[in-house]
């Protein structure tokens, strides 16, 4: 039997403090020391073993440890998690990403990550402007960020990605471009350059809605386009709407999501999606009650998997119509685009003639026969997806 490759996402739902724009599930701890309980790590490892017990013929192609703030983990905790992953089985060409906060970056941490087989770091910078960082309650200031980057470039000889958020309050064109110029100068091989998404339930979202924080959405859009064009003009490929890389430095883990592949999610609040036949599948999200998560996965492990019948999770049944829309939604975010051959393999039927015509009239066709949106048409992706949704499938 051939070995199936699968991806693993691990959620570490702890932060020292929560940024005002963040709507990811995380719990503020108030301090770095012992921020993550060993009990959580033990429960997490039990879940990883259980989830993969159903995939005996699988090996892990990509791992992404995100959060929250994974860099709050101590060295023993990182090793414990990585040991379980190695025992589960990694492909020879695996990608193993670990998220870090700039003010957690030390030479000791980098050595620990390297020794555990982690080969890609994602560093959340967001901005180089102190006023902006302070405004949204980021932990690290610009000096700390610059020191972290110097350490990463001098002591980390594996892959590196950084995150920037365009359009944070008080960001100016000058400050944003200065940050991008610095990253280009340092030849950072992967840059996730996001446009701020204002979530209503976050402190920042509420402040903008109430008018306490002035915000110009059009300026944010203009700023992002200028940044995008700068990165492209300096040799970065926009291989996904918000992701840019130097050649051969795409994030393989994110490509799992964008190409409709299976992935397992572990940790409180973690999400996984497993497809079955003709594009249908199940998507589960683990309970966000950390105490209940720890209690359940402490009591349940591989020795008594037959008794596991009440996992604390919600499950969404993905019907084929939903799955088809998700395929177009994710594929069209990428430069790779929609593959007619891949679509038929997933759904057991060709793309409908009506949708095919729409793709041909709006998208560009690559040499491989895929349909993709050029960079300026990507700006109208949501409108195009709404039009596709109204067409018969």
């Amino acid at each position: 039997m051939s070995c199936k490759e699968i991806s693993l996402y691990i959620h570490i739902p702890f932060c020292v403090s929560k940024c005002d724009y963040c709507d990811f599930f995380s719990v503020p701890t108030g301090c770095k020391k012992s921020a993550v309980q060993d009990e959580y790590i033990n429960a997490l490892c039990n879940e990883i073993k259980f989830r993969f017990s159903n995939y005996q013929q699988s090996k892990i192609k990509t791992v992404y440890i995100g959060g929250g703030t994974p860099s709050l983990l101590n060295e023993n905790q990182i090793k414990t998690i990585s040991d379980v992953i190695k025992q589960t089985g990694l492909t020879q060409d695996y990608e193993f990403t670990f998220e870090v906060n700039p003010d957690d970056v030390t030479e000791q941490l980098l050595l620990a990550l390297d020794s555990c087989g982690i080969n890609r770091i994602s560093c959340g910078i967001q901005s180089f402007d102190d006023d902006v960082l302070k405004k949204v309650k980021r932990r690290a200031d610009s000096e700390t960020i610059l020191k972290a980057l110097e350490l990463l470039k001098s002591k980390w000889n594996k892959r590196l990605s950084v995150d920037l958020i365009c359009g944070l309050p008080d960001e100016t064109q000058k400050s944003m471009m200065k940050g991008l110029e610095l990253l280009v100068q340092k030849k950072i091989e992967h840059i996730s350059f996001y446009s701020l998404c204002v979530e209503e339930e976050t402190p920042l979202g509420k402040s903008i809605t109430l008018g306490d924080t002035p915000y110009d959405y059009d300026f944010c859009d203009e700023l992002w386009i200028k940044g995008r064009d700068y990165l492209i003009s300096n040799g970065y490929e926009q291989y996904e709407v918000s992701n840019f890389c130097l050649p051969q430095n795409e994030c393989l883990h994110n490509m799992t999501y964008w190409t409709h592949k299976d992935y397992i999610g572990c940790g409180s609040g973690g999400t996984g999606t497993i497809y079955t036949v003709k594009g249908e599948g199940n998507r589960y999200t683990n309970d966000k009650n950390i105490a209940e998560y720890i209690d359940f996965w402490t009591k349940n492990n591989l020795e008594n998997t037959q008794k596991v019948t009440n996992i604390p999770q919600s499950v969404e049944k993905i019907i084929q119509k939903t799955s088809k829309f998700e395929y177009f939604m994710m594929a069209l975010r990428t430069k790779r685009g929609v593959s007619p051959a891949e679509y038929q393999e997933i759904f057991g039927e060709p793309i409908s003639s009506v949708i095919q015509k729409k793709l041909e009239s709006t998208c560009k066709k690559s040499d491989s026969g895929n349909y993709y949106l050029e960079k300026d048409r990507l700006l109208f992706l949501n409108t195009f997806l709404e039009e596709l949704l109204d067409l018969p499938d």
Side-chain angles (χ1 to χ4, degrees):
M1 184 181 293
S2 62
C3 183
K4 182 179 180 181
E5 295 180 348
I6 198 165
S7 291
L8 169 64
Y9 173 77
I10 293 173
H11 195 61
I12 307 297
F14 304 97
C15 292
V16 172
S17 58
K18 203 168 175 73
C19 303
D20 276 1
Y21 56 80
C22 180
D23 72 332
F24 293 138
F25 168 57
S26 64
V27 176
T29 64
C31 65
K32 286 187 183 183
K33 189 175 181 180
S34 302
V36 184
Q37 305 165 270
D38 285 338
E39 289 80 5
Y40 180 81
I41 302 304
N42 294 334
L44 172 66
C45 290
N46 280 344
E47 187 197 0
I48 294 171
K49 292 174 186 176
F50 170 76
R51 297 287 185 189
F52 277 96
S53 68
N54 297 317
Y55 298 92
Q56 295 296 329
Q57 297 300 322
S58 295
K59 282 196 172 183
I60 304 172
K61 172 74 171 178
T62 72
V63 183
Y64 195 104
I65 302 183
T69 310
S71 49
L72 292 176
L73 296 172
N74 63 45
E75 292 179 40
N76 288 335
Q77 292 172 336
I78 296 169
K79 185 177 187 304
T80 298
I81 295 171
S82 65
D83 284 348
V84 169
I85 292 170
K86 290 173 186 175
Q87 290 163 13
T88 301
L90 290 162
T91 63
Q92 287 189 335
D93 57 347
Y94 72 88
E95 176 189 270
F96 193 156
T97 303
F98 189 92
E99 282 187 353
V100 301
N101 191 293
D103 59 351
D104 296 331
V105 175
T106 62
E107 187 171 351
Q108 185 177 356
L109 173 64
L110 300 184
L111 288 171
L113 297 180
D114 187 27
S115 68
C116 288
I118 291 160
N119 56 17
R120 186 174 184 272
I121 284 176
S122 177
C123 184
I125 290 175
Q126 318 315 356
S127 175
F128 286 90
D129 187 295
D130 281 324
D131 290 337
V132 174
L133 294 166
K134 186 176 180 181
K135 181 87 172 181
V136 295
K137 296 184 172 61
R138 288 288 296 168
R139 269 203 285 150
D141 58 17
S142 60
E143 182 180 356
T144 302
I145 289 170
L146 291 172
K147 286 180 179 178
L149 276 178
E150 288 299 323
L151 200 54
L152 285 163
K153 289 300 292 182
S154 62
K155 299 297 182 181
W156 180 254
N157 61 1
K158 295 182 172 61
R159 297 176 66 194
L160 174 63
S161 175
V162 303
D163 289 1
L164 282 184
I165 298 179
C166 172
L168 289 169
D170 293 345
E171 188 80 82
T172 65
Q173 178 175 309
K174 182 179 179 180
S175 64
M176 189 205 74
M177 291 306 300
K178 185 178 179 182
L180 283 176
E181 288 165 7
L182 176 65
L183 296 179
V184 169
Q185 180 185 3
K186 290 183 176 296
K187 297 182 180 178
I188 304 298
E189 57 262 35
H190 189 282
I191 300 172
S192 294
F193 182 53
Y194 302 106
S195 181
L196 176 66
C197 183
V198 179
E199 302 291 347
E200 291 183 1
E201 296 307 310
T202 62
L204 178 59
K206 291 176 181 177
S207 180
I208 290 174
T209 300
L210 291 172
D212 296 333
T213 298
Y215 195 74
D216 188 336
Y217 290 90
D218 291 336
F219 175 69
C220 175
D221 292 341
E222 292 168 7
L223 208 55
W224 185 86
I225 291 171
K226 187 170 182 65
R228 175 203 65 181
D229 291 347
Y230 175 77
L231 289 172
I232 292 173
S233 69
N234 280 275
Y236 286 80
E237 179 184 1
Q238 185 186 15
Y239 74 101
E240 192 271 346
V241 174
S242 301
N243 285 272
F244 302 78
C245 70
L246 296 175
Q248 306 303 313
N249 281 285
E250 295 87 350
C251 176
L252 301 182
H253 184 83
N254 284 344
M255 290 303 295
T256 296
Y257 305 143
W258 301 328
T259 54
H260 220 66
K261 299 291 194 302
D262 291 356
Y263 60 95
I264 290 172
C266 293
S268 180
T271 294
T273 302
I274 304 298
Y275 296 100
T276 52
V277 294
K278 294 187 176 181
E280 295 186 346
N282 294 295
R283 179 170 296 133
Y284 67 86
T285 301
N286 284 330
D287 195 285
K288 294 180 180 179
N289 185 314
I290 295 174
E292 288 185 8
Y293 174 87
I294 292 173
D295 182 65
F296 180 86
W297 287 110
T298 299
K299 293 175 181 176
N300 294 280
N301 51 50
L302 278 180
E303 281 67 51
N304 60 356
T305 51
Q306 299 303 315
K307 301 177 184 177
V308 180
T309 58
N310 58 338
I311 298 174
Q313 63 183 16
S314 61
V315 179
E316 174 193 358
K317 175 70 176 176
I318 305 173
I319 62 173
Q320 192 182 70
K321 183 180 175 82
T322 301
S323 189
K324 286 179 177 179
F325 178 72
E326 289 184 353
Y327 174 80
F328 287 120
M329 176 178 67
M330 302 308 285
L332 287 169
R333 290 183 62 89
T334 70
K335 182 67 181 289
R336 178 179 181 271
V338 170
S339 164
E342 183 179 70
Y343 182 94
Q344 178 144 4
E345 182 182 351
I346 293 171
F347 298 106
E349 61 189 40
I351 296 172
S352 73
S353 58
V354 177
I355 291 179
Q356 179 94 12
K357 288 178 182 177
K358 185 66 177 175
L359 291 171
E360 290 174 350
S361 67
T362 308
C363 300
K364 189 169 182 179
K365 197 171 185 179
S366 67
D367 293 340
S368 61
N370 291 6
Y371 296 97
Y372 68 95
L373 293 169
E374 295 182 277
K375 67 184 180 85
D376 287 332
R377 289 207 168 185
L378 272 175
L379 300 172
F380 304 98
L381 173 61
N382 290 340
T383 300
F384 183 50
L385 288 171
E386 289 172 4
E387 292 171 358
L388 284 183
L389 190 60
D390 290 336
L391 296 174
D393 59 4

